[in-house]
Amino acid sequence: MKVGIVGLGFRMEYLARVFTALVPGFSIVGHVDPSPAGLPGLVKQGIDAGRSFGTIEAMAAAAPLDMLMVGSPNHLHLEHIRTGLELGLKVFSEKPVVTSEDETLELLRLIARHGGPDRVMVGLVLRYAPLYVDLKKAIAAGAIGTICSIEASEHLAPYHGAFFMRDWRRYERYSGNFILEKCCHDLDLYQGAVGARPIRVASFGGRKSFVPENEVRHNLDVYHRKPSGWMGTDKVFDSDADIIDYQTAIVEYQGGAAMTFHTNINVPDEYRHFCVIGAKGMAEGDFVRNYFRLTDARTGERLEEKSYTGTELSAHYGADEQMATDIAAHVRTGAPLPVSVEDALEAGITAIKIDEARKLRQVIDLTETWKRFDAARAGELPAMAG
């Protein structure tokens, strides 16, 4: 399996290690990146990153590629995916796929013109997590019943929050916005659980932790533990970031189910929790604390309780290995995947509208948004001028 990488950052370096370990014949033909932060890590691991190329076109011309892997900063994804599609390549993109509603519609049009959604795969790795697989099984078995409400969160430890304040992701013009960049995983999971799109969203948030008055002059290593790459800075509390560090969102789905979602990037005892409550039961789990509980609403009986053990290789609770295996099978044989690029774009739109609601301090209705989305997906919405 021969791949080319555009945007060889830390995430792509890690994924290259996972694919190399698990996919027979996996090899990197080359990479396109003027400053490949992940290259030293591959060299250290003895993994050949191939030749350095100035363009995707030059890399694709050098040798046949089975897949183009896009790990560039978010604002470049659309351009790089477009190039891959126009070259006739299968494309794997890290999340979030694109950064705005206009880019979402443009990518849907591109996908419609270039063979459909199977041409693009996405790195929404939590869809592969054993915990989420068990949640979906419980839903499918009817143990939860009609889903009424969800309480969910993604909370990051200070070292990880500081990384966002020091990395290129601190600028919305590159990342899109914080909840899109970091929490599109979670929004996708719960849309997948409910099986419906959001119809209304509201949100509140801001920045109160990573601000100058909270700067500390001891234990500074905590805030620099995770390295930053392109556009990195050593500043944490007084960086020029325009992203926020906490946010709450309220989501109403088509059909009436509702969710509250909370994220904060300065949580010393971090967790990534959900509680899905239905007419027949409740499913509760945590991706960090590694447990799953299923409880019957009528009797209070614990129907299932289990814990999970991560692996030395996986950075996402055992999910990265399964994703690499499934992506390789999809490229080689067309085997189905648990998440599609359209799922990813729907989660992205949700995040974009949540942050729009925060900025406008309004409830946002997504009815017209989904009409435009579906028209673009069908190839019926013309490209915007300019």
Side-chain angles (χ1 to χ4, degrees):
M1 182 177 176
K2 298 183 182 300
V3 308
I5 295 175
V6 55
L8 181 52
F10 296 120
R11 175 62 180 166
M12 277 299 149
E13 176 237 319
Y14 168 72
L15 284 181
R17 287 192 280 120
V18 175
F19 273 82
T20 298
L22 296 174
V23 179
F26 179 85
S27 66
I28 304 171
V29 168
H31 58 275
V32 178
D33 192 326
S35 182
L39 184 58
L42 290 183
V43 172
K44 184 177 180 180
Q45 294 288 326
I47 297 174
D48 184 4
R51 291 170 51 194
S52 175
F53 293 91
T55 66
I56 298 171
E57 290 89 343
M59 180 169 61
L65 297 178
D66 297 304
M67 181 170 67
L68 175 68
M69 300 184 76
V70 177
S72 47
N74 303 345
H75 71 295
L76 298 175
H77 284 188
L78 178 61
E79 173 189 343
H80 293 157
I81 296 169
R82 183 200 309 273
T83 300
L85 290 175
E86 290 176 347
L87 290 170
L89 301 174
K90 282 262 193 178
V91 180
F92 170 86
S93 174
E94 257 306 315
K95 59 81 188 171
V97 188
V98 290
T99 62
S100 70
E101 183 175 348
D102 285 345
E103 287 187 350
T104 300
L105 300 178
E106 178 60 20
L107 182 54
L108 287 166
R109 287 187 287 261
L110 281 169
I111 290 169
R113 290 202 302 269
H114 290 282
D118 280 351
R119 291 284 307 283
V120 181
M121 300 154 284
V122 293
L124 285 174
V125 65
L126 290 188
R127 284 272 192 149
Y128 299 83
L131 170 55
Y132 186 68
V133 172
D134 286 338
L135 171 63
K136 289 285 285 183
K137 286 179 180 176
I139 293 170
I144 298 171
T146 302
I147 294 175
C148 305
S149 60
I150 300 174
E151 179 186 10
S153 60
E154 182 183 10
H155 291 155
L156 304 181
Y159 83 90
H160 204 162
F163 161 78
F164 278 95
M165 291 298 155
R166 294 170 27 246
D167 190 62
W168 59 263
R169 294 165 177 83
R170 70 187 185 274
Y171 301 122
E172 286 196 4
R173 63 183 180 273
Y174 297 142
S175 64
N177 62 64
F178 175 75
I179 201 167
L180 172 67
E181 157 61 27
K182 190 65 189 78
C183 304
C184 61
H185 275 308
D186 306 81
L187 298 174
D188 167 66
L189 293 183
Y190 306 122
Q191 286 176 207
V194 173
R197 291 167 165 173
I199 195 62
R200 274 182 287 274
V201 297
S203 181
F204 309 92
R207 189 156 86 238
K208 291 184 178 293
S209 292
F210 291 101
V211 293
E213 55 264 37
N214 291 333
E215 183 174 4
V216 296
R217 302 190 182 279
H218 61 282
N219 295 331
L220 292 179
D221 60 307
V222 171
Y223 302 106
H224 297 270
R225 186 180 303 163
K226 189 175 174 66
S228 59
W230 178 65
M231 296 292 293
T233 178
D234 288 333
K235 294 184 175 182
V236 178
F237 296 91
D238 57 345
S239 85
D240 58 352
D242 57 22
I243 60 167
I244 59 178
D245 61 23
Y246 71 95
Q247 189 165 9
T248 60
I250 306 169
V251 179
E252 181 186 7
Y253 296 96
Q254 293 168 344
M259 177 176 74
T260 59
F261 182 79
H262 178 211
T263 182
N264 189 303
I265 64 175
N266 190 44
V267 180
D269 189 8
E270 66 180 358
Y271 56 96
R272 198 171 196 172
H273 175 265
F274 65 80
C275 184
V276 179
I277 302 169
K280 295 181 179 179
M282 178 180 87
E284 182 185 5
D286 194 301
F287 289 94
V288 175
R289 297 174 181 177
N290 291 317
Y291 68 83
F292 177 71
R293 299 170 186 150
L294 182 63
T295 307
D296 184 90
R298 295 170 177 81
T299 66
E301 178 187 358
R302 186 61 51 83
L303 303 176
E304 189 172 355
E305 183 162 11
K306 63 193 301 186
S307 59
Y308 306 86
T309 302
T311 68
E312 186 176 333
L313 185 60
S314 181
H316 287 98
Y317 331 114
D320 294 277
E321 297 96 325
Q322 190 63 54
M323 183 181 77
T325 302
D326 286 5
I327 290 289
H330 179 76
V331 171
R332 287 170 169 164
T333 69
L337 296 172
V339 62
S340 71
V341 64
E342 292 176 349
D343 294 327
L345 293 174
E346 289 183 359
I349 282 290
T350 303
I352 289 163
K353 290 300 182 180
I354 283 173
D355 213 53
E356 181 180 325
R358 177 186 67 85
K359 291 172 179 174
L360 295 175
R361 302 185 68 82
Q362 294 178 359
V363 176
I364 302 291
D365 188 297
L366 278 73
T367 302
E368 294 302 317
T369 299
W370 295 128
K371 288 180 181 178
R372 291 190 296 271
F373 187 101
D374 290 335
R377 181 171 58 179
E380 299 169 355
L381 189 68
M384 294 184 65

